[in-house]
PDB file of all heavy atoms in Angstrom:
ATOM      1  N   THR A1502     134.700 105.140 158.758  1.00  0.00           N
ATOM      2  CA  THR A1502     135.691 105.468 159.835  1.00  0.00           C
ATOM      3  C   THR A1502     136.309 104.218 160.351  1.00  0.00           C
ATOM      4  O   THR A1502     135.627 103.186 160.610  1.00  0.00           O
ATOM      5  CB  THR A1502     134.908 106.167 160.996  1.00  0.00           C
ATOM      6  OG1 THR A1502     134.338 107.366 160.538  1.00  0.00           O
ATOM      7  CG2 THR A1502     135.897 106.430 162.194  1.00  0.00           C
ATOM      8  N   ALA A1516     148.624 102.397 175.872  1.00  0.00           N
ATOM      9  CA  ALA A1516     148.335 101.967 174.463  1.00  0.00           C
ATOM     10  C   ALA A1516     147.644 103.160 173.770  1.00  0.00           C
ATOM     11  O   ALA A1516     146.944 103.908 174.430  1.00  0.00           O
ATOM     12  CB  ALA A1516     147.519 100.658 174.460  1.00  0.00           C
ATOM     13  N   SER A1558     126.517 102.766 181.059  1.00  0.00           N
ATOM     14  CA  SER A1558     126.878 103.294 182.427  1.00  0.00           C
ATOM     15  C   SER A1558     128.176 102.790 182.952  1.00  0.00           C
ATOM     16  O   SER A1558     128.576 103.089 184.063  1.00  0.00           O
ATOM     17  CB  SER A1558     125.658 102.886 183.412  1.00  0.00           C
ATOM     18  OG  SER A1558     125.657 101.462 183.443  1.00  0.00           O
ATOM     19  N   ALA A1616     146.471 108.476 153.863  1.00  0.00           N
ATOM     20  CA  ALA A1616     147.370 109.687 153.735  1.00  0.00           C
ATOM     21  C   ALA A1616     147.802 109.918 152.304  1.00  0.00           C
ATOM     22  O   ALA A1616     147.879 110.993 151.820  1.00  0.00           O
ATOM     23  CB  ALA A1616     148.546 109.460 154.694  1.00  0.00           C
ATOM     24  N   ALA A1721     179.981  85.194 156.024  1.00  0.00           N
ATOM     25  CA  ALA A1721     180.186  83.821 156.365  1.00  0.00           C
ATOM     26  C   ALA A1721     181.594  83.622 156.882  1.00  0.00           C
ATOM     27  O   ALA A1721     182.613  84.128 156.249  1.00  0.00           O
ATOM     28  CB  ALA A1721     180.036  82.839 155.133  1.00  0.00           C
ATOM     29  N   ASP A1795     177.278  80.623 149.585  1.00  0.00           N
ATOM     30  CA  ASP A1795     176.448  81.024 148.411  1.00  0.00           C
ATOM     31  C   ASP A1795     175.633  82.247 148.751  1.00  0.00           C
ATOM     32  O   ASP A1795     175.487  83.226 147.989  1.00  0.00           O
ATOM     33  CB  ASP A1795     175.557  79.927 147.871  1.00  0.00           C
ATOM     34  CG  ASP A1795     176.318  78.846 147.194  1.00  0.00           C
ATOM     35  OD1 ASP A1795     177.388  79.157 146.703  1.00  0.00           O
ATOM     36  OD2 ASP A1795     175.820  77.741 147.198  1.00  0.00           O
ATOM     37  N   ILE A1890     169.759 107.407 148.320  1.00  0.00           N
ATOM     38  CA  ILE A1890     170.139 105.970 148.166  1.00  0.00           C
ATOM     39  C   ILE A1890     168.895 105.230 147.967  1.00  0.00           C
ATOM     40  O   ILE A1890     167.856 105.390 148.738  1.00  0.00           O
ATOM     41  CB  ILE A1890     170.855 105.460 149.358  1.00  0.00           C
ATOM     42  CG1 ILE A1890     172.259 106.203 149.517  1.00  0.00           C
ATOM     43  CG2 ILE A1890     171.110 103.963 149.246  1.00  0.00           C
ATOM     44  CD1 ILE A1890     173.062 105.725 150.766  1.00  0.00           C
ATOM     45  N   ILE A1941     151.166 107.411 138.748  1.00  0.00           N
ATOM     46  CA  ILE A1941     150.688 106.214 138.085  1.00  0.00           C
ATOM     47  C   ILE A1941     150.467 105.066 139.042  1.00  0.00           C
ATOM     48  O   ILE A1941     151.425 104.533 139.521  1.00  0.00           O
ATOM     49  CB  ILE A1941     151.590 105.747 136.869  1.00  0.00           C
ATOM     50  CG1 ILE A1941     151.946 106.945 135.988  1.00  0.00           C
ATOM     51  CG2 ILE A1941     150.980 104.648 136.137  1.00  0.00           C
ATOM     52  CD1 ILE A1941     150.829 107.626 135.250  1.00  0.00           C
TER      53      ILE A1941
END
Side-chain angles (χ1 to χ4, degrees):
T1502 299
S1558 60
D1795 287 334
I1890 297 178
I1941 308 296

